[in-house]
Amino acid sequence: SAPPRAKLATAAQAARQMTSQYGLAYMAAKNAIALASILITLAALRTAKSATAALIARLGVSSAAGELAGRAALAVTIHYALFPAVCLTAAALGPRLHNATQRRLGERRP
């Protein structure tokens, strides 16, 4: 097995290759998945009000606006923990989005 730094360098190299090969399609897929991830996490935190409230209370937040800000902060934190999965999913969807876009552009050209 490769050392952690070698694995990280390989992953970074793969991400650079994806971005250079599929460009905007990869970035669009990554950003769409990231937005969906944050929104789903926010919805889950809103549904699990008692657990979320307990976590927010531990942060020392008590007002309604503070609760919303606390929930948003928790959602972003959870999203960052899931970010490698977001990138892997975008790596799978980016080429498909790129190919679909290229086909559609080809159909529109005279």
PDB file of all heavy atoms in Angstrom, residues 17 20 24 41 44 49 54 56 66 81 87 92 99:
ATOM      1  N   GLN A  17      -6.557  16.011 -13.471  1.00  0.00           N
ATOM      2  CA  GLN A  17      -6.803  15.406 -14.774  1.00  0.00           C
ATOM      3  C   GLN A  17      -8.291  15.488 -15.123  1.00  0.00           C
ATOM      4  O   GLN A  17      -8.650  15.818 -16.257  1.00  0.00           O
ATOM      5  CB  GLN A  17      -6.349  13.951 -14.782  1.00  0.00           C
ATOM      6  CG  GLN A  17      -6.565  13.277 -16.120  1.00  0.00           C
ATOM      7  CD  GLN A  17      -6.125  11.826 -16.115  1.00  0.00           C
ATOM      8  OE1 GLN A  17      -5.632  11.325 -15.112  1.00  0.00           O
ATOM      9  NE2 GLN A  17      -6.317  11.151 -17.217  1.00  0.00           N
ATOM     10  N   SER A  20      -9.064  19.107 -16.068  1.00  0.00           N
ATOM     11  CA  SER A  20      -8.540  19.503 -17.377  1.00  0.00           C
ATOM     12  C   SER A  20      -9.248  18.758 -18.506  1.00  0.00           C
ATOM     13  O   SER A  20      -9.472  19.319 -19.571  1.00  0.00           O
ATOM     14  CB  SER A  20      -7.034  19.285 -17.451  1.00  0.00           C
ATOM     15  OG  SER A  20      -6.727  17.916 -17.396  1.00  0.00           O
ATOM     16  N   LEU A  24     -15.658  22.231 -17.277  1.00  0.00           N
ATOM     17  CA  LEU A  24     -16.868  22.808 -16.717  1.00  0.00           C
ATOM     18  C   LEU A  24     -17.871  21.737 -16.290  1.00  0.00           C
ATOM     19  O   LEU A  24     -18.570  21.908 -15.292  1.00  0.00           O
ATOM     20  CB  LEU A  24     -17.495  23.765 -17.731  1.00  0.00           C
ATOM     21  CG  LEU A  24     -18.659  24.599 -17.256  1.00  0.00           C
ATOM     22  CD1 LEU A  24     -18.253  25.447 -16.047  1.00  0.00           C
ATOM     23  CD2 LEU A  24     -19.160  25.475 -18.370  1.00  0.00           C
ATOM     24  N   THR A  41     -28.575  17.905   4.128  1.00  0.00           N
ATOM     25  CA  THR A  41     -28.111  17.904   5.517  1.00  0.00           C
ATOM     26  C   THR A  41     -28.909  18.897   6.355  1.00  0.00           C
ATOM     27  O   THR A  41     -29.301  18.597   7.479  1.00  0.00           O
ATOM     28  CB  THR A  41     -26.604  18.223   5.589  1.00  0.00           C
ATOM     29  OG1 THR A  41     -25.899  17.294   4.766  1.00  0.00           O
ATOM     30  CG2 THR A  41     -26.078  18.119   6.999  1.00  0.00           C
ATOM     31  N   ALA A  44     -32.233  17.353   7.046  1.00  0.00           N
ATOM     32  CA  ALA A  44     -32.110  16.297   8.047  1.00  0.00           C
ATOM     33  C   ALA A  44     -31.954  16.881   9.445  1.00  0.00           C
ATOM     34  O   ALA A  44     -32.558  16.393  10.408  1.00  0.00           O
ATOM     35  CB  ALA A  44     -30.928  15.388   7.717  1.00  0.00           C
ATOM     36  N   LYS A  49     -34.922  17.697  15.140  1.00  0.00           N
ATOM     37  CA  LYS A  49     -34.828  18.926  15.932  1.00  0.00           C
ATOM     38  C   LYS A  49     -34.246  18.710  17.318  1.00  0.00           C
ATOM     39  O   LYS A  49     -33.461  19.511  17.789  1.00  0.00           O
ATOM     40  CB  LYS A  49     -36.200  19.588  16.048  1.00  0.00           C
ATOM     41  CG  LYS A  49     -36.593  20.336  14.819  1.00  0.00           C
ATOM     42  CD  LYS A  49     -37.834  21.148  15.058  1.00  0.00           C
ATOM     43  CE  LYS A  49     -38.127  21.970  13.820  1.00  0.00           C
ATOM     44  NZ  LYS A  49     -39.140  22.959  14.058  1.00  0.00           N
ATOM     45  N   ALA A  54     -29.896  19.985  20.801  1.00  0.00           N
ATOM     46  CA  ALA A  54     -28.918  19.633  21.829  1.00  0.00           C
ATOM     47  C   ALA A  54     -27.508  20.021  21.395  1.00  0.00           C
ATOM     48  O   ALA A  54     -26.732  20.568  22.188  1.00  0.00           O
ATOM     49  CB  ALA A  54     -28.993  18.140  22.129  1.00  0.00           C
ATOM     50  N   ILE A  56     -26.720  22.355  19.179  1.00  0.00           N
ATOM     51  CA  ILE A  56     -26.635  23.807  19.120  1.00  0.00           C
ATOM     52  C   ILE A  56     -26.545  24.394  20.524  1.00  0.00           C
ATOM     53  O   ILE A  56     -25.804  25.349  20.760  1.00  0.00           O
ATOM     54  CB  ILE A  56     -27.830  24.380  18.322  1.00  0.00           C
ATOM     55  CG1 ILE A  56     -27.667  23.979  16.852  1.00  0.00           C
ATOM     56  CG2 ILE A  56     -27.917  25.887  18.454  1.00  0.00           C
ATOM     57  CD1 ILE A  56     -28.877  24.279  15.993  1.00  0.00           C
ATOM     58  N   GLY A  66     -29.936  32.483  16.084  1.00  0.00           N
ATOM     59  CA  GLY A  66     -28.743  31.716  16.420  1.00  0.00           C
ATOM     60  C   GLY A  66     -28.922  30.243  16.123  1.00  0.00           C
ATOM     61  O   GLY A  66     -27.994  29.566  15.688  1.00  0.00           O
ATOM     62  N   ALA A  81     -17.214  17.038   5.948  1.00  0.00           N
ATOM     63  CA  ALA A  81     -16.812  15.669   6.273  1.00  0.00           C
ATOM     64  C   ALA A  81     -17.161  14.720   5.123  1.00  0.00           C
ATOM     65  O   ALA A  81     -16.457  13.737   4.888  1.00  0.00           O
ATOM     66  CB  ALA A  81     -17.488  15.210   7.560  1.00  0.00           C
ATOM     67  N   CYS A  87     -16.787  14.662  -4.217  1.00  0.00           N
ATOM     68  CA  CYS A  87     -15.811  14.692  -5.318  1.00  0.00           C
ATOM     69  C   CYS A  87     -15.819  13.389  -6.107  1.00  0.00           C
ATOM     70  O   CYS A  87     -15.736  13.403  -7.337  1.00  0.00           O
ATOM     71  CB  CYS A  87     -14.415  14.984  -4.778  1.00  0.00           C
ATOM     72  SG  CYS A  87     -14.253  16.680  -4.213  1.00  0.00           S
ATOM     73  N   ALA A  92     -17.607  10.650 -11.158  1.00  0.00           N
ATOM     74  CA  ALA A  92     -18.396   9.680 -11.922  1.00  0.00           C
ATOM     75  C   ALA A  92     -19.388  10.376 -12.851  1.00  0.00           C
ATOM     76  O   ALA A  92     -19.617   9.929 -13.974  1.00  0.00           O
ATOM     77  CB  ALA A  92     -19.141   8.751 -10.968  1.00  0.00           C
ATOM     78  N   ASN A  99     -20.119  14.363 -21.837  1.00  0.00           N
ATOM     79  CA  ASN A  99     -20.487  13.651 -23.060  1.00  0.00           C
ATOM     80  C   ASN A  99     -21.896  14.026 -23.516  1.00  0.00           C
ATOM     81  O   ASN A  99     -22.139  14.214 -24.708  1.00  0.00           O
ATOM     82  CB  ASN A  99     -20.366  12.140 -22.866  1.00  0.00           C
ATOM     83  CG  ASN A  99     -18.931  11.708 -22.677  1.00  0.00           C
ATOM     84  OD1 ASN A  99     -18.000  12.407 -23.074  1.00  0.00           O
ATOM     85  ND2 ASN A  99     -18.732  10.562 -22.037  1.00  0.00           N
TER      86      ASN A  99
END
